[in-house]
Amino acid sequence: MKNQLFLSTIFFFVLVTNTKAQTFHSVEIDTVLKDKISIRAISIVADKIYFAGDKSKVGFIRLSKQNNNINQAIVTDTIPYEYRSLANNGKNFFALSIGNPVRLYKFSNDLADKTLVYQENHEKVFYDSMQFWNEKEGIAIGDPTADCLSVIITRDGGNHWAKISCDNLPKVVDGEAAFAASNTNIVLKGNSVWIVSGGKKSRVFHSDDKGKSWQVYETPIVQGESMTGIFTADFYNKNIGFIAGGDYEKPTQNFQNKAITNDGGKTWRLIGENTGFGYASCVQFVPKSKGKGIVSVGASGLQYSSDGGHTWQQFLSDPTLYTIRFLDSDTAFAAGKNKIIKIEFKR
């Protein structure tokens, strides 16, 4: 009996310790970039944080343990356009502009070389997000120019991109599109891709064969108006996913703006109703949190959940952070209006 009691005590202690180890209590921040730029897309690759923004600017910050800001490179163009999507396939950096005409550039990782690899001219063209599955295969999505979302795919490392015909994509309803809020309209896991929409309809489009065939799933996120719907998504693994957004014109409205799935996006249920953040531009799972740790940035600042989205805690009130990515399970970088910051989460 004593041995059993002792073992039970040890088990309880380990359980509580592990639970606490996954819970953050505060943050410390350090500004690593200040510039006159609106940044909605960042990517962490090795020791660099790549970013893309307005005023035709792309760049990177090189980091090390000794010095947060070793050096930085910023490239601009004489033609004024805005980047809200970027991706890196390991060999090259890609930046995609939003409006007509759309321009997709391939850069060398040091940004010294630049090549136009895709251009699209259309009065309705507007691209929102871009990601790579691997070194060869990548995908970008945008608003409809016909009766489907715009989807372009590369199979040769980004040298050539082809737009998928609407005959091979699910149809959208009039007024359904996507939001270029944080480069998180697309999520990739394995061969799968999830794309989220908003506006008159707010749905999840899924392909498990890298964009060759598609299914579409309904969501309970607020929808029906031009600025409502899903603005951001993330998947912890192929089953556990989280979507968020809300009503951009009612930024404090914190219901019908968050939902989770445990079956790979087929079904979604609302969570955290009337609590936590309102409008969100970006959500991300905390690495190694078993799908329980989630952070969001948007109109309600930086918020954190340790229980899979049921309850939330505000760590920063800054509403000008638009996008966030994790370097490891305790460190993230967030970007927005005129800055990139480093965030250390404290347990």
Side-chain angles (χ1 to χ4, degrees):
M1 179 67 73
K2 289 183 179 179
N3 287 339
Q4 289 180 342
L5 180 61
F6 176 74
L7 291 173
S8 297
T9 302
I10 292 295
F11 175 77
F12 178 76
F13 175 77
V14 171
L15 181 63
V16 171
T17 301
N18 287 341
T19 301
K20 288 184 176 179
Q22 296 298 322
T23 302
F24 300 132
H25 299 289
S26 62
V27 296
E28 292 181 1
I29 66 170
D30 181 31
T31 301
V32 297
L33 175 73
K34 284 186 177 180
D35 192 16
K36 292 293 184 180
I37 181 175
S38 176
I39 303 172
R40 292 184 177 272
I42 60 174
S43 176
I44 302 173
V45 181
D47 67 337
K48 293 178 182 176
I49 304 168
Y50 288 90
F51 60 89
D54 64 353
K55 302 182 178 70
S56 306
K57 290 184 178 182
V58 300
F60 67 77
I61 305 165
R62 190 188 303 275
L63 303 172
S64 78
K65 292 182 180 179
Q66 288 74 34
N67 188 337
N68 277 344
N69 192 350
I70 296 293
N71 59 57
Q72 65 187 43
I74 299 178
V75 176
T76 61
D77 199 307
T78 56
I79 303 171
Y81 44 82
E82 183 174 356
Y83 296 115
R84 294 199 185 185
S85 304
L86 64 79
N88 195 298
N89 68 348
K91 286 192 170 183
N92 296 101
F93 168 75
F94 297 82
L96 177 62
S97 65
I98 55 174
N100 186 27
V102 157
R103 299 177 182 89
L104 173 52
Y105 287 102
K106 180 181 77 171
F107 294 84
S108 57
N109 278 334
D110 62 1
L111 304 183
D113 299 318
K114 173 184 176 184
T115 305
L116 180 66
V117 292
Y118 181 80
Q119 180 167 320
E120 185 174 342
N121 298 72
H122 195 285
E123 61 181 4
K124 294 183 178 179
V125 69
F126 194 103
Y127 275 82
D128 304 282
S129 189
M130 176 172 53
Q131 302 289 343
F132 271 81
W133 283 282
N134 50 50
E135 184 181 301
K136 293 290 186 182
E137 298 169 293
I139 182 172
I141 67 101
D143 293 350
T145 57
D147 58 356
C148 68
L149 291 173
S150 295
V151 180
I152 60 174
I153 288 181
T154 181
R155 307 287 185 189
D156 65 357
N159 294 318
H160 303 89
W161 297 74
K163 189 168 186 178
I164 299 179
S165 168
C166 283
D167 294 338
N168 299 318
L169 288 169
K171 298 296 185 284
V172 294
V173 304
D174 186 34
E176 182 178 15
F179 296 112
S182 59
N183 199 33
T184 51
N185 303 83
I186 302 173
V187 184
L188 306 182
K189 294 288 181 184
N191 293 334
S192 287
V193 53
W194 293 267
I195 296 171
V196 295
S197 69
K200 296 296 184 179
K201 290 284 286 185
S202 189
R203 300 186 291 175
V204 173
F205 300 76
H206 175 241
S207 169
D208 59 9
D209 55 11
K210 297 180 180 177
K212 296 174 184 175
S213 62
W214 295 86
Q215 304 81 40
V216 60
Y217 306 119
E218 301 291 330
T219 79
I221 295 291
V222 61
Q223 51 201 279
E225 302 296 332
S226 60
M227 297 305 293
T228 60
I230 308 169
F231 283 74
T232 176
D234 193 24
F235 273 74
Y236 186 76
N237 53 35
K238 286 189 176 183
N239 294 316
I240 302 171
F242 195 90
I243 52 176
D247 189 332
Y248 184 82
E249 296 176 334
K250 299 176 182 177
T252 62
Q253 183 173 297
N254 62 356
F255 57 89
Q256 285 186 275
N257 68 321
K258 333 170 188 66
I260 62 168
T261 182
N262 290 297
D263 59 10
K266 295 181 179 66
T267 60
W268 297 85
R269 65 180 178 88
L270 293 171
I271 195 168
E273 289 285 84
N274 297 294
T275 188
F277 59 86
Y279 160 74
S281 61
C282 187
V283 293
Q284 292 285 281
F285 280 101
V286 179
K288 300 180 181 179
S289 67
K290 299 181 180 179
K292 298 299 183 182
I294 310 169
V295 297
S296 75
V297 292
S300 306
L302 171 65
Q303 300 225 1
Y304 164 69
S305 174
S306 62
D307 56 10
H310 291 279
T311 61
W312 295 84
Q313 180 180 359
Q314 186 185 62
F315 283 155
L316 297 173
S317 60
D318 185 354
T320 65
L321 296 173
Y322 307 141
T323 189
I324 186 169
R325 296 294 185 279
F326 276 89
L327 173 67
D328 54 42
S329 57
D330 296 298
T331 310
F333 289 86
K337 185 178 180 181
N338 301 333
K339 62 181 175 290
I340 298 176
I341 63 172
K342 179 182 180 182
I343 305 169
E344 293 283 356
F345 289 87
K346 301 301 180 180
R347 299 183 187 276

